[in-house]
Structure formats: structure tokens, C-alpha cells
Amino acid sequence: MAVARPGSQGTWNLLLSLLLLEFWERGNSQLHYSVLEEAKHGTFVGHIAQDLGLELVELVPRLFRLASKSRLALLEVNLQNGILFVNSRIDREELCGRSAECSIHLEVIVDKPLQVFHVEVEVKDINDNPPVFPATQKNLFISETRALDSHFSLEGASDADVGTNALLIYRLSPNEYFSLEAPTNDEKVKPLELVLKKPLDREVTSEVRLVLKAIDGGKPELTGTVELHITVLDVNDNAPVFDKAVYHVKLLENVRNDTLVIRLNASDLDEGSNSHILYFFENDVSPNIEASFCIDANSGEIKVKGKIDFEETKLWKIQIKAIDRGNPPMFGHCTILIEVLDINDNAPELVITSLSLPVQEDVPLGTVIALISVTDPDSSANGQVTCTLTPHVPFKLVSTFKNYYSLVLDSTLDRESKSDYQLVVTARDGGSPTLWTTASVSVEVADVNDNAPVFPQPEYTVFLKENNPPGCHIFIVSAWDADAQENALVSYSLVERRVGERALSTYVSVHAESGKVYALQPLDHEELELLQFQVSARDAGVPSLGSNVTLQVFVLDENDNVPVLLVPRVGSVGGAVTELVSRSVEAGHVVAKVRAVDADSGYNAWLSYELQPTAGSARSPFRVGLYTGEISTTRALDENDSPRQRLLVLVKDHGEPALTATATVLVSLVESNQALKVSSRALVNTMGPEVALVDVNVYLIIAICAVSSLLVLTLLLYTALRCSAPQTEGACGPGKPGLVCSSAVGSWSNSQQRRQRVCSGEGPPKTDLMAFSPSVPPGSGSGDGPRQPNPDWRYSASLRAGMHSSVHLEEAGILRAGPGGPDQQWPTVSSATPEPEAGEVSPPVGAGVNSNSWTFKYGPGNPKQSGPGELPDKFIIPGSPAIISIRQEPTNNQIDKSDFITFGKKEETKKKKKKKKGNKIQEKKEKGNSTTDNSDQ
């Protein structure tokens, strides 16, 4: 039956203060039930779930359970109906002894949220123990001379029950000599005695046998009996008498052995040996008394013999008898009550019940970590205990009930700062001196995934030589996670993206566990100089956290490309270049130029040219520029020189090891006039049958000039529109073509500082070509024979490293961009700088060169040096020198005829018009020189 019911259950969604208040109120409430001892298994005790205000459906999810100090589960709760029932046999006498109050203290614990309730179940006594006498037989010796109303002390029976079940009534078997005098309820100290009602006569009755019965007050009644064997003695008719029937003594616990408790004094009215008294414990005294005390038979002193413990026995009751030496001896009796006084000799006892270990680092404040109970068997202030917590940690103790504490979280936790706490709970009593005890509590902080993996630095730079083997290891990325276990288990992956037309995963891969980065295929510096990507590191926590690191892989160039020779279409036979050279040329005349490119970069693409000696040849009158590839004469040619010269040019890069290629140049030495005719014929054949069939006359020249003027106007209008229209830097390359101007000495130059694309709505950018024909100086048209080209026609080129094309003659006489090699780094050579000895120039200045201008000059001056891969260095039209400026795109290998605009010559003088025949020859020569020099191709 419940006598108290806890308050209504609150909700855990309230604020923390309300939760703590609710927890305090519930922690201090208590239910009271009662149950009879020896109740059968399953006996109903109470509706505990209903009385606690808990719903039946909450019992299992909230882990409803009982906690008891007893090792035996005497009581249990049915989680289906919430009824508290008897689980095993309850013996009140075994559980509480002779204590008047006997209760079973239970702790009811539920989780989510955590609540603790205290339940007290009172165990009621039933009459299950009969009265028991110390012995089944009691021997008494009574002198026949004893007076009437003499009292003889008897040892009463004891009953293990309590209350009315332990109230005893004594009954003596019917007889004529003795009556029984039993103590009442108010006289518990008064002994049980036989009273002599009729004088004894040994000669009539030498012994009397009686039966003493003890009946308790239970229902049904239980009884116990003892047989009294009374022997009637003769003579000594005075028994020893104590001055007190009951002695009260107070004794401190834990006193030393041999400590005097009391000195007894009895007297005997007899004389002689009948008055000499000896003191003894009663025969039926308990073994505990004999083990703890001893008595001197002669002096009557009682001393401490064993351990006196207040917690074991608070009151000792000792029966003493005094015997004289009469014959028969006579007895006197007394009772000694020894009250044991408590001292503070017991330290408090701590019991810690862990509930929520380990503790996650993100648990809210006020979370209960553990339950602590404390007991002290001492009494009064010696048993009053207080608990403290050390050291100063993010926890605190909260008192929930008498001698019960909760260890709760007081401040936030961070496992990365501290992963475990060693707490010391100290319990102190109120005694003097105080006693204390300590208990250690190890609180482990469980990790939650609150830290992302961290790389030592946000970016790494890696250098890798090209042509690496597939699957080679290039780098290791490593990230560190401050969390623990699976929250710190880092895996790596690529952040996928596109590299050109291919996925990043086709180039590199990363090992998920070790972070090793591998190159899946050989990398080519000429295709990919920089591979930049990101690697992601993610932990295995829930939810997963991650971070990225950037890797810049620079592909270093190796010398894996041989120089490639640019062989012109015209003037080559079987791969060898054929050149016609007049024997009248002077020393230093440029005969031909060998062009080659190298797809590598830096020193691996820096080319040098060497003239190899041929077997059986004499000292060659030719040399080759070390870095220009120009083949020039070292001296004036004479008749002794072989008319056919075979030159073998070795092209070598500066890589390690160096790679080489060879070019063969066939030089034919001819007379001056013959060389000019052959050159003109070759130009005509090159330009095609349409130009060869033109009949040069005055009308044709006028028509050409008119058309040229119209084209000039068209170009000027087109240029004006281009300059006025807004340019988009992303669609059209910035920059404008340079101006064309003439100098006082009759030289022409065109400087193209930046490439410019012609942007249109559809189709790839076109390549532009502009050809300018300057006015002819006076007297240039006179004479029967054609003018010999000036050998000092030169140009200088400062090319950006990486120009990808060469120039060839097209069938209609239009220049076209031909296939070219990869980029090459070259130095910038000024047009004003004379050519060094043997054609040498300074080493390459590196990949940073970004100039793309050409200057063509006609007139006296030193020859200019050029780099490989540039356009033909001179375009000569006999009698009418012209300047050609070409802009080209590296990715476009063909130039459409429609992309070029040709400017005709200015109007001839009237003197020239009259000389038709000379003009026809002159016009053919001009047309031939306006395209290109065959020997340079």
C-alpha cells in the first residue's frame, strides 16, 4: 500500500533550471510500502509505476530498473503492468535481527531523462519463530531450609520475532511447592523467578520436576519449554545475597583488554566455609559474553577480555551467580547491564554506481554522470557524513537524498583538451577527530566528430620530370585530425575536374589510406607544363568532415625531342636543298639558311649549327652560323672551286645527352648572268602559269596600279573600321599592327609588335599578309639588263619562344604558313647589332621572351641574325625591291589567299612607259621577287 506519491512528471524539454528543480523534488520524494515476511513469490506489494507517475509504455524505453543495497533481489517490478512484487523469500529476522523497524530501501532509476526515486518497503513481522530457552533442562539446588517466598532466578526464553509476536507469557506446570513470578511488559528488567510457596522436606521429596512453558503473543501461538530439575539440599540454609539485583555499567567501545568493568560484592549470613563466596557466569551464558569478558571467581571483578564494538553490540546483559562453600552450596544471582558507548572508530563508506560512462564531449550541462551513496555505522555526529569533490574539474556533487549524491556535469567538455578526468570523492564524518574515506572515479570523455582533417600547409609544389613511368609515386599528402578512433580515420580522394578534354583521374590518383599520389601515365612537358589539382581529406565520423589541399605539379622538360629540319618545297631534291650561287659574290654573302626547330624548351631546345667536313673535299669556302644556321661564304669564289659543293650541316641541341639532325645543302657555282636567269625562271615556275603568261605592257601596269590603289583604299577603310570598333580582349587578341615607313636612305621596315586576329562570327581566325611596293628611285628602270639583287638585304627577328610555323610558297605566289614544330626559346637579337664572328649569338634568355616582331631592310648594312622557325628572311624582286610583313597563328598551318592584300607599285615615269620591252623584263623580275627567295626556302 502506498502512503506517499511523487509529484507529477515534468517534461525534459524545459529549461535546465526547471529540470534540476524537478530532479531535486523527485529525488527527495519517497514511496512507502509494506509486506509480510515469508510472503510467497509473486506477492503483490504496490503499483509502483502508477504511484511514481510513470506511464507503462515508458518503462522499457527509459530503462526502468531497481537498485538495492541487498545482494539478493528480494523485490522485483513487472515491466508490463508496473507492479512491485516479491521475488524471493524475505526473512525479517535474517534481514534486520531484533530491530524494531525493518525496511528494504530501493532506488528506482529511469533514463532519458535520468530520474531517481527512493522507495521504502517495510517488512512486517509474522509469528514464525517460537520462544526458545537457553537450554532444554535447568538444574536447581534448593536447601530444605529455605524460607517461604524465597525466589529462585530462571533464564527466560527468547523470541526472534518482534512486537506482540515476541511478548512472552510463562506458565509453570501445576505443583504444590513453587509458583512462578514473571515480569510484566513494564518490567522487562525484572528476572523470571520461582517462588517457594511451601517448605521443602528433603525426606518427603528429594527432588521436584517441573515444566516451564513460554507462550508468545502471536496468532497462532507458539510455545517453548524447559524442564526444571529441582534438587532439595540439606543444611546450608543461607544463600549469598548481592547488594543490587541489577547493575548498570557504561563502557567505551574499543577499550583495551583487562579493563575493569565492575567489582561485584555479595554477602552470606552463614559462617565459615558456608559464607565464603565464589563468583561465576551463569551456566547458560552465551559464548559471545565469555569471549568478551572474564570474571575473577574470588574477587568478583569483571574485566574486558575481547573486542568491544558498539556497531556489533550496544548493550550486554550478563547473568552472574554467587556460590558459597557450604554443603550443599547456596546461590545468589544478579544481572549486569553493560551499555557500550560509541566512539568515532569507523570511517564513512562510499559506493559509486556509474551510469553514463564514457561521457560524450557534447553532452548538456547538468547531465548525471554517476550516483554515490555513503554510509557510516557510527551514531550521532560520528555518523553524519558530508561529501566533497576534488580537484576543481567540470563536475560537481549534488545531494539528492539523505546520504545520496549525484555527480553531474557543471561545465562543457572538450576531449581534444582533456580526454579523461580522475576524480576523488571524499566523505567526512562529524566525529572528533574526524574520519574520512576517499573513492576514485575515472570519467572518460568520448569523442564526437567536431574537428576536420587539417593539412600542414594549404598548397604544395612538386617537380616531376616528363616521361615518368606509369604509376610512379610523386608525393604524399598527410592530414591530421584532432579527434579519436573512427572520427580521426582520414581517407584521401581527388577533387575531380577536367584537364583539357580529359578527366583529372586519368592523369593522377591518390591512395585512400596512405595519401600517396601516383602519376597514372607518362606526362609530356610539351603537352602539359603544369598540372594543378586538389586532394580532399575526409574523416570517418558522422557527419563526415573534410578539407582540401592544392598540389601544383610542374612537369620538367627532358631532352626527348630531336631537332626537326624545315625543308622548303622549292629548291630541294631528295631531301637536300639546292642553291645556285654566283661566282662573283664576295666574302660574307649568305648562300642559304638551314632552319630547324625543337619541341623541347630551354637549353634542350637551344639549337646550334655545325658544318661537317665531307670526305675528299678540300677546304670549303663556306661556313655556317653557329646559332643562325645561315650558310655564307668565307672568301671570294674563284675558278678553282668545284662547281658543285655538297655541304652537310649538323643541327644539335644543348640537352643532356644532346640530340642531333643533319641537313644536306647542294651549292652550284654558276656565272652571274646565268644565276639570275635561273633564279627568274624558278620564280616564274613557282608562281604558276597564270603569271608566266602575262604580257607585261603599259596598259597592264596601269591596270595593276589602279587595282592596287583601290585595294589600298579598301585596306585603309577596313583598318579604320577595325580601329574604331570596340575590341573584346577575350575574343580578339589585343594590339594593332605597326606602321610602315620609309627612311631617307630608301629602306623600308614593318614592325609587328603584337599578333592580332581578325575576329568573325564563325570560323577560325585568319592570317593577314601585307605586301608593300615602294616607289622606284630615279634611274632604277634604265638599262638593258636586270638589276642584280643587293646581297645586303637582311632582317632581324625577335621571336617569342614557341612560334609554331614556317612559311612556304603557295602555287599562286601567295605565302602560306606551313607545318611547324613546338615552341622554342630564343634570344632577342637587335637589328642594330652586327653579326658576331662565325654567326654566334648569346645563349637563350629563357621562356620569358614574348616578342614577335620582324623587320625587313633593304639597303647597305650588316646582315642580321635570326632564330629558327621564323619566316624567310628576304624576299627580293630584281629592280623593284619590296617588303613583306606576315602575321600568323601557331595553330593555323594554312593561310587562305583571301587573307592577303597586295599593294602594287606606284606610277612609273613617262620615260619607263616608252621602253616597253625593258618594262616587260623588269615587271617579271618584280613579280618574282614579291613572293620569296627560293634559296631561303
Side-chain angles (χ1 to χ4, degrees), residues 262-265 279 295-302:
I262 192 174
R263 180 181 289 110
L264 298 176
N265 184 22
Y279 302 92
I295 187 171
D296 191 318
N298 296 316
S299 63
E301 292 180 350
I302 298 177

Side-chain angles (χ1 to χ4, degrees), residues 186-511:
D186 298 332
E187 299 176 340
K188 293 182 179 180
V189 181
K190 185 176 181 181
L192 182 64
E193 295 178 331
L194 282 177
V195 179
L196 184 61
K197 296 299 184 180
K198 179 180 179 181
L200 296 173
D201 187 357
R202 188 190 67 83
E203 289 71 24
V204 176
T205 304
S206 60
E207 62 180 22
V208 178
R209 292 184 177 271
L210 303 175
V211 175
L212 179 61
K213 179 185 293 186
I215 305 171
D216 60 23
K219 293 182 181 180
E221 298 178 347
L222 298 179
T223 61
T225 59
V226 61
E227 184 180 358
L228 301 178
H229 187 196
I230 302 172
T231 302
V232 180
L233 302 177
D234 195 18
V235 187
N236 190 17
D237 55 338
N238 289 290
V241 177
F242 290 95
D243 53 359
K244 290 181 179 180
V246 178
Y247 294 89
H248 295 272
V249 179
K250 292 184 178 181
L251 182 65
L252 289 174
E253 65 173 330
N254 297 333
V255 294
R256 296 179 179 179
N257 290 340
D258 294 334
T259 299
L260 179 63
V261 178
I262 192 174
R263 180 181 289 110
L264 298 176
N265 184 22
S267 60
D268 195 326
L269 298 178
D270 294 328
E271 294 181 353
S273 60
N274 291 332
S275 62
H276 191 271
I277 301 174
L278 299 176
Y279 302 92
F280 301 96
F281 291 128
E282 287 285 359
N283 296 332
D284 54 359
V285 71
S286 67
N288 290 335
I289 295 176
E290 292 183 342
S292 302
F293 301 96
C294 63
I295 187 171
D296 191 318
N298 296 316
S299 63
E301 292 180 350
I302 298 177
K303 295 182 178 180
V304 175
K305 177 182 178 181
K307 182 180 179 181
I308 306 299
D309 191 354
F310 172 83
E311 287 71 37
E312 292 182 1
T313 305
K314 299 177 177 57
L315 179 65
W316 294 90
K317 182 178 179 182
I318 305 175
Q319 298 287 342
I320 304 296
K321 64 180 179 181
I323 305 174
D324 59 21
R325 291 191 175 185
N327 188 16
M330 300 195 67
F331 300 86
H333 303 276
C334 72
T335 301
I336 302 176
L337 297 178
I338 303 176
E339 181 184 358
V340 181
L341 302 180
D342 181 48
I343 63 173
N344 193 24
D345 61 338
N346 291 280
E349 296 179 2
L350 284 171
V351 178
I352 299 177
T353 304
S354 297
L355 297 179
S356 304
L357 295 178
V359 182
Q360 288 195 343
E361 58 179 323
D362 61 346
V363 296
L365 300 182
T367 300
V368 178
I369 308 302
L371 296 179
I372 301 172
S373 61
V374 58
T375 58
D376 194 323
D378 293 325
S379 63
S380 301
N382 295 333
Q384 295 178 358
V385 183
T386 57
C387 289
T388 57
L389 182 67
T390 55
H392 181 68
V393 290
F395 303 96
K396 66 179 179 179
L397 289 177
V398 176
S399 178
T400 59
F401 195 68
K402 180 181 179 182
N403 293 337
Y404 286 92
Y405 294 86
S406 294
L407 179 65
V408 299
L409 183 63
D410 191 38
S411 60
T412 57
L413 299 175
D414 185 9
R415 191 205 66 83
E416 287 70 40
S417 300
K418 191 174 182 62
S419 60
D420 61 87
Y421 295 87
Q422 299 297 328
L423 312 181
V424 178
V425 180
T426 303
R428 296 178 180 271
D429 59 25
S432 181
T434 183
L435 298 179
W436 70 89
T437 187
T438 59
S440 297
V441 181
S442 180
V443 179
E444 180 182 355
V445 181
D447 183 55
V448 295
N449 193 27
D450 56 350
N451 290 277
V454 177
F455 288 95
Q457 57 190 67
E459 184 176 286
Y460 292 95
T461 300
V462 182
F463 297 94
L464 176 66
K465 289 186 177 181
E466 65 173 332
N467 302 322
N468 56 281
C472 72
H473 171 234
I474 61 176
F475 196 70
I476 297 178
V477 294
S478 179
W480 176 78
D481 197 313
D483 294 322
Q485 297 178 354
E486 66 275 1
N487 293 333
L489 184 62
V490 180
S491 60
Y492 304 91
S493 62
L494 285 178
V495 179
E496 189 62 77
R497 69 177 186 89
R498 303 294 296 179
V499 181
E501 298 298 328
R502 302 171 61 182
L504 173 65
S505 56
T506 62
Y507 287 93
V508 293
S509 68
V510 60
H511 193 271

